[in-house]
Amino acid sequence: MTRPDFDVIVAGAGAGGAAAAYYLGQAGLRVLVVEKARLPRYKPCGGAIPRPTLARFPFDFTNLISAAPTAVRFTFSNLPYVDLPLPDRPIVNVQRSQFDAFLLARSGAEVLEGVAVSDVAEGVSQVRVRAGERSLIIFNLDNQLKIFIFRIIIRY
């Protein structure tokens, strides 16, 4: 039986995809991250990351933190706003393009950018993923890991 190209393919190089690639790589799996955009790419979000999430990684994010808010404001249409204090500063803000790239660089994964996952096909003995013009074998399905491997394909 032919060797699979990768043990797992993660669709999306955002914080979730990069974190998944990091931990899957740490588990000894050969990982490909497929990102539909060219990297780095801008993410129009506040970049709020809970500190306990950062604590799950064995590296320091200090240089990526742009702010540690002391309060959060909720606004509602036609209602007064509500300010809530964050006394322990449980959330930090990061620039997502930098944060995502930082995680991805430490993942050890191969990255295919500017290409979207367009098809996932489960065969009798393997799963194939089409990403752009490439057809990749994820895993030879000759054991009970079939369902597990298929479910850890992360799609967005």
Side-chain angles (χ1 to χ4, degrees), residues 96-112:
R96 279 290 307 278
S97 59
Q98 295 171 0
F99 182 79
D100 298 354
F102 181 86
L103 277 178
L104 195 58
R106 280 150 185 79
S107 73
E110 185 174 327
V111 180
L112 181 60

Side-chain angles (χ1 to χ4, degrees), residues 10-18 33-35 39 41 96 100-101 104 111 156:
V10 176
V33 176
V34 179
E35 170 56 50
L39 299 171
R41 69 219 153 350
R96 279 290 307 278
D100 298 354
L104 195 58
V111 180
Y156 63 110

Side-chain angles (χ1 to χ4, degrees), residues 17-29 31 53-59 107:
Y22 172 77
Y23 280 109
L24 291 165
Q26 291 296 300
L29 299 174
V31 181
T53 299
L54 300 180
R56 293 181 174 267
F57 294 91
F59 29 83
S107 73

Side-chain angles (χ1 to χ4, degrees), residues 107-124:
S107 73
E110 185 174 327
V111 180
L112 181 60
E113 60 182 282
V115 181
V117 170
S118 58
D119 187 47
V120 177
E122 181 180 358
V124 173

Side-chain angles (χ1 to χ4, degrees), residues 38-56:
R38 290 277 177 200
L39 299 171
R41 69 219 153 350
Y42 175 75
K43 296 291 283 188
C45 70
I49 308 287
R51 284 187 192 271
T53 299
L54 300 180
R56 293 181 174 267

